[in-house]
Amino acid sequence: HSHTRNKTDLHTFLSSCPSFTTMARRLTTEFQQLNEGGEAWVRAQLVDDNVFKWRAQINGPEGTPYESGVFTVEFEIPGEYPFVPPKVKVLTKIYHPNVTADGKICMDVITQQWSPQLRIINVLTIIRGLLSDPNLEHPLEPEIAQVYQTDRAKFDKNAKDWTKKYAK
């Protein structure tokens, strides 16, 4: 028989463990709010039932070359969270000026502008915003940024092709 837990069971399980910190409870609450919050464009799972490691799927925004894709983002949440930002990696290969081939993503919010008031859903919302509106001032892939600025039709075609191929 399976040892999967639904979200309510997980919350009950985590709440019953006296050794879990306030931060783990906060993460459990964030996880539930993300999945039950009515945002149709995002969902998340815990990796190996670990509240410190999440995998989220973001639907590409409508009206962008990414709109038919589903992009997987992994979060490693440090023990110092929420005072230290999560480590974020895009697991789905994507043609985008702010995401490297190995999934690094350029976002001020997970570097110098992090605040303990921010939550994982805020980071996901910002990532989705980057899909609609890339940050061309700080590209991690300058060649892709150049194509975006000089030949938008070529950029859109490449992004759509990669989305079809990798973001299923």
Side-chain angles (χ1 to χ4, degrees):
H1 92 173
S2 168
H3 287 287
T4 58
R5 296 184 182 96
N6 70 32
K7 289 179 288 240
T8 307
D9 289 344
L10 180 67
H11 185 69
T12 304
F13 169 74
L14 291 174
S15 301
S16 70
C17 296
S19 63
F20 269 88
T21 62
T22 303
M23 190 250 319
R25 282 194 297 276
R26 172 183 161 146
L27 282 172
T28 303
T29 301
E30 280 194 41
F31 181 79
Q32 285 185 303
Q33 288 172 344
L34 187 150
N35 282 309
E36 296 167 6
E39 298 288 356
W41 59 268
V42 65
R43 61 195 170 287
Q45 303 80 37
L46 300 181
V47 177
D48 300 325
D49 270 345
N50 181 350
V51 76
F52 298 97
K53 194 161 188 178
W54 297 18
R55 212 164 261 169
Q57 286 76 38
I58 299 174
N59 295 343
E62 287 180 26
T64 72
Y66 309 107
E67 73 179 319
S68 63
V70 177
F71 301 88
T72 302
V73 181
E74 189 169 82
F75 289 86
E76 286 192 28
I77 302 159
E80 303 82 15
Y81 182 84
F83 302 101
V84 173
K87 288 187 174 77
V88 181
K89 184 175 186 181
V90 179
L91 299 181
T92 307
K93 205 168 151 83
I94 183 171
Y95 186 83
H96 193 282
N98 302 116
V99 183
T100 64
D102 63 354
K104 287 190 184 79
I105 187 164
C106 179
M107 291 174 31
D108 288 342
V109 75
I110 54 172
T111 54
Q112 63 267 36
Q113 291 180 7
W114 178 255
S115 155
Q117 282 76 43
L118 292 172
R119 295 175 303 146
I120 303 294
I121 187 67
N122 303 122
V123 177
L124 288 162
T125 302
I126 292 165
I127 292 170
R128 191 163 191 257
L130 275 178
L131 296 180
S132 298
D133 188 17
N135 177 349
L136 300 174
E137 290 175 30
H138 303 287
L140 292 177
E141 295 287 351
E143 305 79 23
I144 296 175
Q146 185 69 28
V147 174
Y148 185 93
Q149 290 173 307
T150 60
D151 189 346
R152 189 61 186 274
K154 181 180 177 185
F155 172 88
D156 286 352
K157 182 189 181 325
N158 289 345
K160 275 182 189 161
D161 290 348
W162 283 43
T163 298
K164 238 178 242 151
K165 188 172 182 178
Y166 302 110
K168 298 174 180 131

